[in-house]
Amino acid sequence: AQKVTQAQTEISVVEKEDVTLDCVYETRDTTYYLFWYKQPPSGELVFLIRRNSFDEQNEISGRYSWNFQKSTSSFNFTITASQVVDSAVYFCALSEAPSTGGFKTIFGAGTRLFVKA
Amino acid sequence: DAGITQSPRHKVTETGTPVTLRCHQTENHRYMYWYRQDPGHGLRLIHYSYGVKDTDKGEVSDGYSVSRSKTEDFLLTLESATSSQTSVYFCAISEWATRGAYFGPGTRLTVT
């Protein structure tokens, strides 16, 4: 069954600290896609990154980096030198193709990150 | 910004009444999704569509139905609203499900 677990409900850090948000997923498919989204206090949802199941390369974008490990079914997100503007809820998501058609995308429960000045 | 709107943005309704939420896109994207967001549950998939008249159930589809008669519109209907359906509803669109999705601004629904 398709499942995404974000075990960290809330994380609080002080500005400039590094922080890692964990995401563990379950799927029976060999082809699937993983995503991270950000929801700042204003409420909109913003796409951050996508990874497919065949590409385990880590990715870095500025202060953001993502570590995808199929062996542990994890897709973790690290923010380096956190800033107050990083305060948000972060969601991990998994997309796979059910037999009924199309691709189905489900989300984890989210991790609320507080970055204090 | 992706062209995606939701209407209404806020609604208060009474238990037992039918409610329809509309998601409209101008991007001609194939995929459209309805999610609900509740504290402690994150975003839960209600229904999704992978083409006109092609829809499927999500994780929490009971009490909801959808229709997509044209590419740009995806309607979510609460057949008989209950207080447990009080939530914020987000619509999302994606050109391909394997790409990131763009989300609408959300509809805050209160069922009294």
Side-chain angles (χ1 to χ4, degrees):
Chain A
Q2 192 179 6
K3 186 177 180 182
V4 177
T5 301
Q6 294 181 256
Q8 304 152 308
T9 305
E10 289 187 358
I11 300 175
S12 183
V13 299
V14 176
E15 208 170 20
K16 298 183 183 176
E17 283 187 27
D18 298 346
V19 58
T20 296
L21 310 181
D22 297 333
C23 173
V24 174
Y25 62 92
E26 294 178 28
T27 178
R28 291 176 293 193
D29 283 4
T30 55
T31 300
Y32 54 89
Y33 298 81
L34 296 162
F35 307 84
W36 277 95
Y37 289 82
K38 175 181 180 180
Q39 186 177 41
S42 53
E44 74 272 22
L45 282 144
V46 179
F47 164 69
L48 294 177
I49 190 172
R50 176 205 71 172
R51 258 290 172 264
N52 71 54
S53 53
F54 300 108
D55 182 3
E56 284 194 76
Q57 281 190 1
N58 293 331
E59 180 149 346
I60 298 174
S61 177
R63 297 184 296 107
Y64 295 172
S65 62
W66 291 269
N67 179 255
F68 175 30
Q69 292 195 335
K70 288 178 72 171
S71 60
T72 56
S73 297
S74 65
F75 185 42
N76 296 337
F77 174 26
T78 297
I79 302 174
T80 303
S82 60
Q83 299 176 1
V84 172
V85 293
D86 295 326
S87 296
V89 180
Y90 291 88
F91 292 98
C92 181
L94 166 68
S95 186
E96 63 177 28
S99 57
T100 45
F103 268 80
K104 183 176 176 181
T105 303
I106 66 164
F107 284 70
T111 296
R112 184 177 296 275
L113 174 65
F114 294 99
V115 181
K116 295 178 285 189
Chain B
D1 290 342
I4 176 171
T5 57
Q6 292 184 230
S7 58
R9 292 293 313 279
H10 302 272
K11 186 170 182 66
V12 180
T13 191
E14 293 184 349
T15 298
T17 59
V19 176
T20 295
L21 307 183
R22 180 185 184 227
C23 179
H24 178 77
Q25 62 149 326
T26 57
E27 304 294 326
N28 201 36
H29 283 351
R30 179 183 175 195
Y31 283 84
M32 299 185 77
Y33 300 85
W34 277 109
Y35 293 90
R36 59 178 289 176
Q37 184 173 22
D38 306 287
H41 292 280
L43 291 158
R44 291 183 291 175
L45 180 64
I46 305 171
H47 283 280
Y48 67 104
S49 170
Y50 47 95
V52 173
K53 298 186 178 173
D54 290 320
T55 65
D56 203 353
K57 295 179 180 180
E59 308 163 273
V60 291
S61 58
D62 287 349
Y64 301 95
S65 62
V66 290
S67 67
R68 191 172 180 197
S69 59
K70 44 187 179 177
T71 299
E72 56 266 36
D73 288 326
F74 193 32
L75 304 180
L76 176 70
T77 297
L78 288 66
E79 293 137 12
S80 176
T82 68
S83 57
S84 64
Q85 293 176 312
T86 292
S87 186
V88 179
Y89 291 84
F90 284 98
C91 176
I93 63 172
S94 180
E95 187 176 12
W96 298 100
T98 56
R99 295 186 181 176
Y102 296 101
F103 279 78
T107 293
R108 184 173 295 277
L109 176 69
T110 302
V111 183
T112 61

